Amino acid sequence: MTNWEAVIGIETHVELQTRSKMFCGCEVNFSADPNTTVCPVCLALPGALPVPNEEAIEGILKIGAALDCELVESSLFHRKNYFYPDLPKNYQISQYDVPLCVDGHIDIDVDGEEARVGITRVHMEEDTGKSLHGSDTGRIHDADHSLLDFNRSGVPLVEIVSEPDIRSPEQARAYAAELQRVVRALGVSDVRLEEGSVRFDANISVRPAGQAEFGTRTEVKNMNSLRSLQRAIAYEIQRQIGVIEGNGEIVQETRHWNEDSGATSSMRSKEESEDYRYFQEPDLVPLHVDGEWRDRVFAGLPELPSARRKRIVAAGVEPQAAATLVEAGDLADLFDHAVSLGADRKQIANWLTGEVVAHLRRNEVALADTGLSAAHLNELGSLVGEGALSSTAAKEVLGHVLSGEGSPREVAAARDLTQISDQTALDAEVDAVLAANPDVVERLRSGDMKPIGFVVGQVMKATRGKADPKLVSELVRSKTQGD
Ligand code: ADP
Ligand code: MG
Ligand code: ZN
């Protein structure tokens, strides 16, 4: 039986969150009423001329720089010609043979196994409008009418093409997730799969392990979660193996992922690039990116997710917790800020990845909505350090801080959660429990320390959980083991 190896390359489209569109001044606003953010340029009225958006060029340069690409000095815009009802110009302005950024990479890690995925190119294009098909299934075959919305027409789009370096559905998912994190860290797009501000198309082929040449590939579209991306690729690999083992042949084509059936189906045969009749856009001059601009882009890059994870791990935080913090960038920001105030790294990481994440999930709120601050976390840490809060009480206090009840000190006082760590206050409590249990005292005196837990438990009960258990057990020891 042949041992098959999958070969995968991913094309990613990212919608940039610029104020205006790529070649006109129309606002980029996805919640606007249909066909209200349009003008002669993005509706392709005759005679309208495009003007490139500097903010968008800056955005793509940032992405290229973050992916360790080479940023080219001079780049060209081309027309990519094809007919589609939501493409009123009948061409997209895109970059063809001279993209803005080339030759980068992303490092991924699947279950501790690291791999490097090359980035072939990152180039600039513009989005099309949107077709809405009037049918229950949303599919064109079943529709009796279609509606067109041109608000998205001309929104700046960045295409990121990977090398065929990916070998498994899990690696593909790790690649896509890391790319999302990088772009999010740059603040140029919110890269939401469900809302289409990022789209992943997977190119997939299989070959007998050890064979140098690639097999014929198919391109799978329409995955709107990382989970579907992984599922679609896994399905397509098995489908191709089945076809080849059944003496069939893989046809190079575009396939549609259907989430409900969990299968891909043929959409159209793949266009070759000559089908697009690319030629240089005559309405635009070549784009020059001088050395000063490139230097500025590199110098202005934020700390990227991989570097951030490494730094937090090096500070003593578990890799899994560091990954959780960095995944939601705002948690890592809060972590860094609290640590800069002197808070204990591990403790802060535990609270953030434990109680805080659980609270956000349970209540479906964003961190910013809770009002939790670095000062709160630092104060909570001090209360534990001073012995004023037990670690259990600290978690309870944190929960109420997250619900907006005030600072940790205020919550601890208002809810009477402050721990009794004053020795004189606990002396009497311990004495009372010992006096009531002479048999226990007998055992402790004879060196059998097992009942110590019982005594601590009784004191905790008597103080309604507010005694410092460590101090109580020290007191019991000194009272029974004494000289
Ligand atoms: P096109 O423009 O026709 O889509 P590209 O050269 O841009 O073709 O390649 C598209 C993607 O397909 C890239 O991510 C590339 O790595 C990947 N790719 C190319 N050949 C194969 C193959 N045989 N198997 C899997 N992926 C491939
Ligand atoms: Mg392509
Ligand atoms: Zn416009």
Side-chain angles (χ1 to χ4, degrees):
M1 227 179 88
T2 318
N3 188 10
W4 295 97
E5 177 182 62
V7 172
I8 303 154
I10 294 183
E11 292 171 88
T12 307
H13 286 93
V14 173
E15 253 170 15
L16 295 182
Q17 242 118 43
T18 46
R19 277 160 297 178
S20 57
K21 293 186 181 179
M22 187 59 218
F23 296 111
C24 61
C26 290
E27 192 196 349
V28 174
N29 176 359
F30 297 112
S31 43
D33 285 341
N35 297 309
T36 54
T37 58
V38 292
C39 76
V41 174
C42 54
L43 284 176
L45 299 189
L49 291 173
V51 178
N53 177 343
E54 185 174 348
E55 190 190 353
I57 305 293
E58 180 105 15
I60 183 177
L61 293 175
K62 283 184 188 165
I63 293 176
L67 300 178
D68 231 353
C69 288
E70 195 184 308
L71 310 188
V72 309
E73 258 170 74
S74 180
S75 174
L76 296 174
F77 288 109
H78 280 76
R79 287 189 184 181
K80 178 179 183 178
N81 298 279
Y82 61 102
F83 173 78
Y84 216 74
D86 54 24
L87 183 70
K89 287 201 293 265
N90 284 347
Y91 61 84
Q92 243 175 324
I93 302 180
S94 179
Q95 294 189 306
Y96 180 49
D97 51 354
V98 198
L100 266 167
C101 322
V102 294
D103 240 349
H105 60 85
I106 287 188
D107 291 330
I108 54 169
D109 183 324
V110 175
D111 299 331
E113 197 178 313
E114 291 176 16
R116 171 162 287 192
V117 179
I119 301 291
T120 318
R121 56 189 278 145
V122 183
H123 72 245
M124 192 79 243
E125 29 181 77
E126 53 174 340
D127 214 340
T128 61
K130 238 183 202 170
S131 307
L132 301 151
H133 304 302
S135 67
D136 295 339
T137 58
R139 296 208 59 184
I140 196 165
H141 311 54
D142 310 323
D144 58 7
H145 67 276
S146 289
L147 299 170
L148 291 167
D149 176 8
F150 292 105
N151 284 354
R152 199 179 68 178
S153 170
V155 167
L157 208 57
V158 168
E159 179 167 351
I160 302 158
V161 181
S162 90
E163 288 287 303
D165 290 343
I166 300 165
R167 293 290 173 268
S168 69
E170 295 72 29
Q171 280 193 343
R173 180 183 187 149
Y175 167 85
E178 186 68 2
L179 183 54
Q180 271 182 306
R181 287 182 205 110
V182 169
V183 175
R184 210 174 279 136
L186 296 171
V188 295
S189 171
D190 62 2
V191 280
R192 285 176 196 264
L193 261 165
E194 317 74 47
E195 286 157 28
S197 55
V198 67
R199 308 192 274 275
F200 297 107
D201 300 336
N203 291 267
I204 303 153
S205 64
V206 296
R207 63 180 171 186
Q211 177 185 302
E213 310 89 75
F214 291 148
T216 303
R217 73 178 199 258
T218 59
E219 181 170 351
V220 180
K221 291 182 184 286
N222 192 44
M223 292 77 83
N224 49 19
S225 69
L226 289 179
R227 188 170 163 268
S228 352
L229 175 73
Q230 183 176 341
R231 280 178 73 205
I233 293 173
Y235 173 88
E236 184 59 15
I237 292 170
Q238 290 313 316
R239 187 193 71 84
Q240 292 187 7
I241 293 172
V243 169
I244 299 170
E245 289 188 339
N247 292 319
E249 226 177 289
I250 301 299
V251 199
Q252 184 164 341
E253 62 182 355
T254 303
R255 298 180 67 86
H256 179 93
W257 166 249
N258 187 313
E259 185 69 36
D260 297 328
S261 63
T264 64
S265 56
S266 181
M267 232 169 115
R268 56 168 187 257
S269 67
K270 175 83 186 155
E271 297 88 349
E272 293 296 331
S273 63
E274 44 273 28
D275 294 336
Y276 291 122
R277 302 170 338 275
Y278 279 101
F279 62 88
Q280 203 185 320
E281 168 61 67
D283 290 338
L284 289 169
V285 295
L287 179 68
H288 285 286
V289 181
D290 60 21
E292 199 193 315
W293 195 2
R294 275 177 285 152
D295 291 347
R296 207 160 11 95
V297 168
F298 275 105
L301 284 186
E303 182 182 37
L304 296 169
S306 55
R308 197 166 204 192
R309 282 192 300 266
K310 281 192 193 122
R311 176 173 57 74
I312 294 177
V313 169
V317 174
E318 293 295 324
Q320 193 51 51
T324 305
L325 293 175
V326 174
E327 179 74 43
D330 50 0
L331 285 177
D333 291 343
L334 192 55
F335 171 85
D336 283 340
H337 191 179
V339 169
S340 77
L341 298 177
D344 179 76
R345 294 178 171 86
K346 277 192 184 171
Q347 193 173 48
I348 296 294
N350 283 341
W351 284 334
L352 286 175
T353 58
E355 282 65 39
V356 175
V357 167
H359 176 92
L360 301 181
R361 287 218 186 105
R362 204 169 40 240
N363 300 289
E364 292 182 359
V365 289
L367 183 62
D369 300 333
T370 66
L372 179 70
S373 70
H376 287 154
L377 290 168
N378 196 36
E379 185 175 295
L380 192 63
S382 305
L383 289 169
V384 173
E386 289 161 16
L389 283 181
S390 69
S391 59
T392 317
K395 288 179 184 172
E396 193 182 336
V397 167
L398 180 54
H400 298 303
V401 172
L402 285 163
S403 311
E405 287 185 20
S407 77
R409 242 177 241 289
E410 287 162 357
V411 170
R415 291 193 166 256
D416 196 18
L417 288 164
T418 313
Q419 178 167 261
I420 306 172
S421 46
D422 169 13
Q423 185 176 331
T424 43
L426 289 177
D427 258 336
E429 304 283 356
V430 173
D431 286 344
V433 174
L434 292 179
N437 297 281
D439 52 325
V440 166
V441 176
E442 198 55 40
R443 285 173 67 188
L444 291 169
R445 281 202 201 288
S446 71
D448 172 9
M449 299 312 288
K450 269 188 220 126
I452 200 163
F454 167 77
V455 179
V456 174
Q458 290 299 303
V459 174
M460 295 306 283
K461 212 165 152 191
T463 57
R464 287 179 296 121
K466 288 165 60 186
D468 175 350
K470 230 173 96 210
L471 184 55
V472 172
S473 98
E474 276 165 25
L475 284 174
V476 177
R477 267 173 216 278
S478 74
K479 283 174 196 291
T480 59
Q481 308 300 296
D483 21 42

